[in-house]
Amino acid sequence: VSKTIASEWLRVLYKGRFVSYGELLESTAISLRNGARRVSVASINHYLDRGATVVVRSADSYESDFFELAAALSSRFNCRVSCNFYAVREEGRGYGPHFDTHHVFAVQLYGTKLWRVGKSPETHSSKAVPRSDQLGSIGEASDVCIFKAQPGDVMYIPRGARHEAAPGVGGSIHASFGIHIPTGAELCELLYRTRASGHG
């Protein structure tokens, strides 16, 4: 990336939880004035070796190509678009089977990734759905589509579709573009809040 990654945008997902940011920093401060510390490459490698996934949130803030793509998608769908990078080594796993409350375009950047996606999206998949309800098995084998993403491939995962992914030999890096199109219920809630605040 072209800039220093802000702490709130760098995450390491290990065994279903995000590692404390403090655990990823070097012990020696680079600035006596404010105590700033660099991210430790050794710490990142330590977790990657154990199957963790490195997540860079708001990745479009660092790469102009992804900024332009996110902007184009936002204009096309007239909604907010998020962009994250996910890096994992062979045999590593970040998220288990789950569904998202937004549509996803996954762009494979490096290595391969085997995706398993349920054919029947959850109908109740608004932002109000608790995270715990988004977790769970994908379903029977007959109700699952399997794709092997190669570098340059783009995959679409509908909102509410349960999915999971496993990296191939040599690991994987992919970019995820979240398309946050509000549901009818979410639009009604927004309209209600706007009118209640006196801005509508």
Side-chain angles (χ1 to χ4, degrees):
V1 294
S2 57
K3 301 178 183 177
T4 300
I5 299 174
S7 60
E8 65 270 23
W9 291 344
L10 177 65
R11 293 287 185 267
V12 173
L13 184 61
Y14 179 59
K15 292 185 176 180
R17 71 172 184 90
F18 285 110
V19 176
S20 166
Y21 188 66
E23 295 182 44
L24 306 177
L25 301 177
E26 293 181 349
S27 57
T28 305
I30 58 175
S31 171
L32 296 176
R33 180 164 50 95
N34 58 18
R37 292 184 290 164
R38 290 191 180 94
V39 169
S40 167
V41 174
S43 293
I44 297 291
N45 282 327
H46 167 83
Y47 283 106
L48 282 172
D49 287 343
R50 285 156 179 77
T53 297
V54 173
V55 183
V56 178
R57 299 167 59 200
S58 299
D60 51 313
S61 299
Y62 301 103
E63 291 293 340
S64 59
D65 289 344
F66 288 97
F67 174 83
E68 292 174 7
L69 181 52
L73 288 169
S74 179
S75 175
R76 172 65 179 83
F77 293 106
N78 193 29
C79 68
R80 181 174 71 87
V81 173
S82 58
C83 176
N84 298 332
F85 285 174
Y86 297 87
V88 62
R89 289 188 178 152
E90 186 178 347
E91 304 299 332
R93 290 291 179 94
Y95 298 97
H98 68 284
F99 70 82
D100 294 306
T101 57
H102 53 267
H103 303 273
V104 172
F105 287 101
V107 182
Q108 191 67 25
L109 303 175
Y110 170 83
T112 62
K113 204 155 201 177
L114 189 68
W115 293 83
R116 299 178 67 246
V117 183
K119 297 178 183 177
S120 304
E122 297 288 335
T123 55
H124 301 291
S125 57
S126 73
K127 298 296 182 185
V129 175
R131 180 62 182 171
S132 58
D133 290 352
Q134 297 175 40
L135 308 177
S137 64
I138 295 177
E140 301 296 326
S142 59
D143 195 37
V144 174
C145 294
I146 300 176
F147 306 92
K148 185 176 183 180
Q150 307 279 353
D153 287 348
V154 179
M155 198 172 84
Y156 167 63
I157 304 173
R159 172 171 48 205
R162 293 188 181 274
H163 58 279
E164 65 177 341
V169 176
S172 164
I173 300 174
H174 80 273
S176 173
F177 291 88
I179 314 299
H180 299 262
I181 301 174
T183 64
E186 290 165 351
L187 285 174
C188 287
E189 180 182 0
L190 177 61
L191 180 61
Y192 173 79
R193 289 181 177 180
T194 301
R195 287 182 174 175
S197 65
H199 297 294

